[in-house]
Structure formats: C-alpha cells, structure tokens
Amino acid sequence: MTIGQLEPAHERALYELLGRMVSMAAHLELRLQMLATNLVETPYAPHWINGENSSRVIKLIGDVAKEHPRVSPERLEALQGTLKQCTSLLNRRHGYVHGAWSMDHGDLSGPVTWQTMRFTRGKQAPTFSPLSLDDLADLVTGLDQVMAQVVTWLLEHIRSGPSVLAPEAGEPSG
C-alpha cells in the first residue's frame, strides 16, 4: 500500500494538515528570528540572524536573554519554557518534512500504521515517528500555541522599555 492507496479523503486530510504544519512552523521560525533581532539590539542583526536555522536562533535567544538588562528572572524562566516547547515542536516537524513516509506492518494480523523514518546526524539507527491525522493536528495546534507565546513575549519585551539603540528623549535620532 502506498500513500496513493489510502482512502482519498484520508490522504487529502494528511496532505492538508502537512501543509498547515509546514506553514505554521515557517511562521514560528520567522517570529523567533524577529525576537532574536529585537533582543540583540543592533542594526546588523538581520544580516546574521535572518535565514539562520531555528535551533541556532533559539540558542541565541536564550543566551542573549540571560544577559539582557530588561529581562527579569521571571520573564527569562517563561521564555526558556517557551523555547523548549519550540525546540520540541520543530524537532517533530523535522520528522514529517525530512522523513520518508512509510508503513509499519508490525503485527501482520493488525492494522497497518503510517510512520516517518529519518536518519539523524550521529545516530546509526533511523528515528521512527508516528504519521497520523491526530499527531499532525496536535503538532499544528502546538505550533500555533507556542507562536502566540513567542509573539506575546516579544510584545511585552518591546513595551518594557526603549532599546539600547533607541535615542533618549530629546536626543536627535540621526
């Protein structure tokens, strides 16, 4: 049985959710880049942050937030929790996007289950993850929720005070 041999409605639903998940993950990565650029507070940040892979951007955000004078310990703790969720969800995304979709026949008398398989750097055995409508829907929901947390944190940071690079009141801006 191949993907094309699934019931057409089930196959369409899988691909629709896959597309939504990929789009949602891309939007999350964009918001993370925006947050990193804002935290770094240099006009040159977009040159080395935008387009960077998500794991490096997440690490940068965590490292800079630890040292940032406007990030309280409570806000840092909240951000670190959000960044862990981002990492987990984006890692799940990797399985769907970079994995080979296949069937697990497991118990030949039982139902066939769909899975993704991919090799990851440094591991000899492939990683298998479930491929199901429920799992994809859960991933889309998780990405949506964590993106809202990232945007909320970014907005709170912007409202917390002027950037180090922002001119003081009364100073010329140019």
Side-chain angles (χ1 to χ4, degrees), residues 66 93 103 126:
K66 284 179 195 173
R93 180 267 327 252
M103 294 180 301

Side-chain angles (χ1 to χ4, degrees), residues 9-25:
H10 187 79
E11 183 177 357
R12 274 192 308 278
L14 272 174
Y15 283 116
E16 180 180 335
L17 279 173
L18 179 68
R20 287 177 190 242
M21 183 271 299
V22 168
S23 177
M24 192 68 70

Side-chain angles (χ1 to χ4, degrees), residues 117-138:
M117 179 201 78
R118 68 186 277 254
F119 286 96
T120 53
R121 199 172 300 131
K123 294 184 180 179
Q124 288 198 356
T127 301
F128 292 92
S129 301
L131 173 64
S132 71
L133 288 172
D134 290 340
D135 188 63
L136 263 171
D138 178 66

Side-chain angles (χ1 to χ4, degrees), residues 139-162:
L139 183 50
V140 168
T141 300
L143 289 165
D144 184 46
Q145 290 169 345
V146 80
M147 185 167 47
Q149 292 172 19
V150 168
V151 170
T152 298
W153 199 96
L154 172 59
L155 292 173
E156 288 171 358
H157 181 72
I158 291 169
R159 290 180 187 130
S160 71

Side-chain angles (χ1 to χ4, degrees), residues 83-134:
L83 295 177
K84 282 182 185 178
Q85 290 176 332
C86 289
T87 298
S88 175
L89 292 164
L90 291 170
N91 284 340
R92 282 176 62 194
R93 180 267 327 252
H94 284 299
Y96 283 103
V97 174
H98 301 292
W101 291 23
S102 63
M103 294 180 301
D104 178 13
H105 294 281
D107 178 9
L108 295 177
S109 63
V112 172
T113 57
W114 285 92
Q115 63 187 3
T116 62
M117 179 201 78
R118 68 186 277 254
F119 286 96
T120 53
R121 199 172 300 131
K123 294 184 180 179
Q124 288 198 356
T127 301
F128 292 92
S129 301
L131 173 64
S132 71
L133 288 172
D134 290 340

Side-chain angles (χ1 to χ4, degrees), residues 56-68 76 83:
R56 290 186 63 176
V57 172
I58 289 169
K59 181 177 180 345
L60 173 71
I61 292 168
D63 290 347
V64 172
K66 284 179 195 173
E67 305 298 326
H68 201 288
L76 177 61
L83 295 177

